Amino acid sequence: MKSACEAQVRMLPGVAVLELSGEVDGNAAGILNAAYETAMAKGYGAKGGGAERDPATVLLDFAAVDYINSTGIALIVSVLARARAERRKVVACGLSAHYREIFDITRLSDFIELFPDLDHAVSQLTH
């Protein structure tokens, strides 16, 4: 049974965490774009506002993702392109071995640093 993509946004110092779940496919475009927009708005709208709260890194957490198809990979590339145009780094965590291999084959892992899980990513990014 298909599960629609969902995204939760969490802000850490300098990092916008997009916690994804379900299926990342063509139907996820609106969800992923809205989550990115929310993360950037939360960064600027946070107490103290302005550039000092602007997240320099976008962390895509795939731990609860069941499926990513080629359209989903294209969506991830579009997030990467947008973030890079805004001078943000994109990293990812929680990918299964299968999807880590897909990121390697497609060379996404050349542009998106991969961490095994959220704890490892957060410890590296916030210290």
Side-chain angles (χ1 to χ4, degrees):
M1 176 138 156
K2 293 183 83 172
S3 58
C5 183
E6 294 182 10
Q8 299 296 318
V9 176
R10 201 161 45 112
M11 300 304 293
L12 300 173
V15 182
V17 181
L18 278 61
E19 297 174 341
L20 305 172
S21 62
E23 299 188 2
V24 180
D25 56 16
N27 296 321
I31 300 296
L32 198 51
N33 288 326
Y36 186 91
E37 289 291 328
T38 298
M40 297 312 109
K42 281 186 175 184
Y44 281 113
K47 192 172 190 174
E52 70 274 6
R53 295 295 304 219
D54 183 24
T57 303
V58 177
L59 170 56
L60 302 173
D61 182 0
F62 291 98
V65 169
D66 303 320
Y67 175 75
I68 306 171
N69 69 8
S70 58
T71 306
I73 294 292
L75 289 173
I76 295 163
V77 170
S78 72
V79 168
L80 174 63
R82 182 174 180 183
R84 287 175 60 128
E86 296 170 354
R87 301 196 189 292
R88 298 181 210 286
K89 178 179 178 180
V90 177
V91 300
C93 68
L95 287 164
S96 69
H98 171 75
Y99 289 116
R100 280 179 81 77
E101 184 177 4
I102 298 294
F103 271 54
D104 288 341
I105 290 168
T106 61
R107 300 197 57 204
L108 264 177
S109 57
D110 290 353
F111 303 96
I112 299 177
E113 185 176 1
L114 303 179
F115 294 95
D117 56 46
L118 186 60
D119 289 341
H120 280 90
V122 169
S123 70
Q124 289 293 311
L125 297 170
T126 59
H127 290 98

